[in-house]
PDB file of all heavy atoms in Angstrom:
ATOM      1  N   ALA A  23    -139.035  40.607  -6.696  1.00 96.00           N
ATOM      2  CA  ALA A  23    -138.742  40.089  -8.033  1.00 96.00           C
ATOM      3  C   ALA A  23    -138.139  41.153  -8.946  1.00 96.00           C
ATOM      4  O   ALA A  23    -137.177  40.878  -9.585  1.00 96.00           O
ATOM      5  CB  ALA A  23    -139.982  39.491  -8.649  1.00 96.00           C
ATOM      6  N   ALA A  24    -138.777  42.367  -8.974  1.00 97.00           N
ATOM      7  CA  ALA A  24    -138.236  43.471  -9.751  1.00 97.00           C
ATOM      8  C   ALA A  24    -136.776  43.815  -9.330  1.00 97.00           C
ATOM      9  O   ALA A  24    -135.872  44.001 -10.169  1.00 97.00           O
ATOM     10  CB  ALA A  24    -139.128  44.646  -9.662  1.00 97.00           C
ATOM     11  N   LYS A  25    -136.516  43.743  -8.026  1.00 97.00           N
ATOM     12  CA  LYS A  25    -135.235  44.150  -7.641  1.00 97.00           C
ATOM     13  C   LYS A  25    -134.171  43.122  -8.013  1.00 97.00           C
ATOM     14  O   LYS A  25    -133.135  43.410  -8.453  1.00 97.00           O
ATOM     15  CB  LYS A  25    -135.233  44.246  -6.037  1.00 97.00           C
ATOM     16  CG  LYS A  25    -133.879  44.751  -5.457  1.00 97.00           C
ATOM     17  CD  LYS A  25    -133.970  44.913  -3.978  1.00 97.00           C
ATOM     18  CE  LYS A  25    -134.579  46.302  -3.701  1.00 97.00           C
ATOM     19  NZ  LYS A  25    -134.491  46.638  -2.298  1.00 97.00           N
ATOM     20  N   LYS A  26    -134.570  41.861  -7.966  1.00 96.00           N
ATOM     21  CA  LYS A  26    -133.719  40.748  -8.401  1.00 96.00           C
ATOM     22  C   LYS A  26    -133.362  40.827  -9.927  1.00 96.00           C
ATOM     23  O   LYS A  26    -132.338  40.515 -10.355  1.00 96.00           O
ATOM     24  CB  LYS A  26    -134.298  39.474  -8.079  1.00 96.00           C
ATOM     25  CG  LYS A  26    -133.425  38.266  -8.509  1.00 96.00           C
ATOM     26  CD  LYS A  26    -133.777  36.979  -7.811  1.00 96.00           C
ATOM     27  CE  LYS A  26    -133.014  35.837  -8.350  1.00 96.00           C
ATOM     28  NZ  LYS A  26    -132.278  35.179  -7.348  1.00 96.00           N
ATOM     29  N   LEU A  27    -134.410  41.238 -10.684  1.00 96.00           N
ATOM     30  CA  LEU A  27    -134.261  41.342 -12.053  1.00 96.00           C
ATOM     31  C   LEU A  27    -133.693  42.677 -12.490  1.00 96.00           C
ATOM     32  O   LEU A  27    -133.371  42.855 -13.674  1.00 96.00           O
ATOM     33  CB  LEU A  27    -135.628  41.222 -12.799  1.00 96.00           C
ATOM     34  CG  LEU A  27    -136.327  39.886 -12.664  1.00 96.00           C
ATOM     35  CD1 LEU A  27    -137.696  39.905 -13.174  1.00 96.00           C
ATOM     36  CD2 LEU A  27    -135.486  38.818 -13.420  1.00 96.00           C
ATOM     37  N   ASN A  28    -133.415  43.532 -11.552  1.00 97.00           N
ATOM     38  CA  ASN A  28    -132.794  44.881 -11.760  1.00 97.00           C
ATOM     39  C   ASN A  28    -133.686  45.713 -12.688  1.00 97.00           C
ATOM     40  O   ASN A  28    -133.150  46.406 -13.590  1.00 97.00           O
ATOM     41  CB  ASN A  28    -131.476  44.724 -12.292  1.00 97.00           C
ATOM     42  CG  ASN A  28    -130.586  45.986 -12.105  1.00 97.00           C
ATOM     43  OD1 ASN A  28    -130.771  46.729 -11.203  1.00 97.00           O
ATOM     44  ND2 ASN A  28    -129.717  46.272 -12.991  1.00 97.00           N
ATOM     45  N   ILE A  29    -135.027  45.689 -12.491  1.00 97.00           N
ATOM     46  CA  ILE A  29    -135.963  46.500 -13.269  1.00 97.00           C
ATOM     47  C   ILE A  29    -136.871  47.106 -12.133  1.00 97.00           C
ATOM     48  O   ILE A  29    -136.918  46.715 -11.040  1.00 97.00           O
ATOM     49  CB  ILE A  29    -136.771  45.728 -14.256  1.00 97.00           C
ATOM     50  CG1 ILE A  29    -137.591  44.573 -13.608  1.00 97.00           C
ATOM     51  CG2 ILE A  29    -135.903  45.106 -15.352  1.00 97.00           C
ATOM     52  CD1 ILE A  29    -138.452  43.809 -14.602  1.00 97.00           C
ATOM     53  N   THR A  30    -137.709  48.094 -12.649  1.00 97.00           N
ATOM     54  CA  THR A  30    -138.693  48.635 -11.756  1.00 97.00           C
ATOM     55  C   THR A  30    -139.873  47.736 -11.599  1.00 97.00           C
ATOM     56  O   THR A  30    -140.237  46.921 -12.391  1.00 97.00           O
ATOM     57  CB  THR A  30    -139.258  49.961 -12.257  1.00 97.00           C
ATOM     58  OG1 THR A  30    -139.926  49.804 -13.486  1.00 97.00           O
ATOM     59  CG2 THR A  30    -138.077  50.986 -12.509  1.00 97.00           C
ATOM     60  N   THR A  31    -140.610  47.905 -10.494  1.00 96.00           N
ATOM     61  CA  THR A  31    -141.887  47.171 -10.192  1.00 96.00           C
ATOM     62  C   THR A  31    -142.830  47.344 -11.389  1.00 96.00           C
ATOM     63  O   THR A  31    -143.568  46.550 -11.765  1.00 96.00           O
ATOM     64  CB  THR A  31    -142.502  47.533  -8.903  1.00 96.00           C
ATOM     65  OG1 THR A  31    -141.465  47.335  -7.811  1.00 96.00           O
ATOM     66  CG2 THR A  31    -143.724  46.739  -8.488  1.00 96.00           C
ATOM     67  N   SER A  32    -142.894  48.609 -11.793  1.00 96.00           N
ATOM     68  CA  SER A  32    -143.838  49.025 -12.858  1.00 96.00           C
ATOM     69  C   SER A  32    -143.446  48.351 -14.188  1.00 96.00           C
ATOM     70  O   SER A  32    -144.436  47.769 -14.818  1.00 96.00           O
ATOM     71  CB  SER A  32    -143.767  50.517 -13.121  1.00 96.00           C
ATOM     72  OG  SER A  32    -144.532  50.867 -14.128  1.00 96.00           O
ATOM     73  N   ALA A  33    -142.163  48.169 -14.515  1.00 97.00           N
ATOM     74  CA  ALA A  33    -141.730  47.437 -15.674  1.00 97.00           C
ATOM     75  C   ALA A  33    -142.153  45.966 -15.605  1.00 97.00           C
ATOM     76  O   ALA A  33    -142.575  45.364 -16.611  1.00 97.00           O
ATOM     77  CB  ALA A  33    -140.287  47.596 -15.988  1.00 97.00           C
ATOM     78  N   LEU A  34    -142.020  45.360 -14.420  1.00 97.00           N
ATOM     79  CA  LEU A  34    -142.354  44.051 -14.193  1.00 97.00           C
ATOM     80  C   LEU A  34    -143.880  43.814 -14.325  1.00 97.00           C
ATOM     81  O   LEU A  34    -144.302  42.836 -14.973  1.00 97.00           O
ATOM     82  CB  LEU A  34    -141.839  43.591 -12.734  1.00 97.00           C
ATOM     83  CG  LEU A  34    -142.145  42.032 -12.486  1.00 97.00           C
ATOM     84  CD1 LEU A  34    -141.564  41.113 -13.534  1.00 97.00           C
ATOM     85  CD2 LEU A  34    -141.604  41.619 -11.150  1.00 97.00           C
TER      86      LEU A  34
END
Side-chain angles (χ1 to χ4, degrees):
K25 187 176 277 191
K26 179 163 177 121
L27 295 170
N28 202 29
I29 61 174
T30 65
T31 304
S32 177
L34 181 56

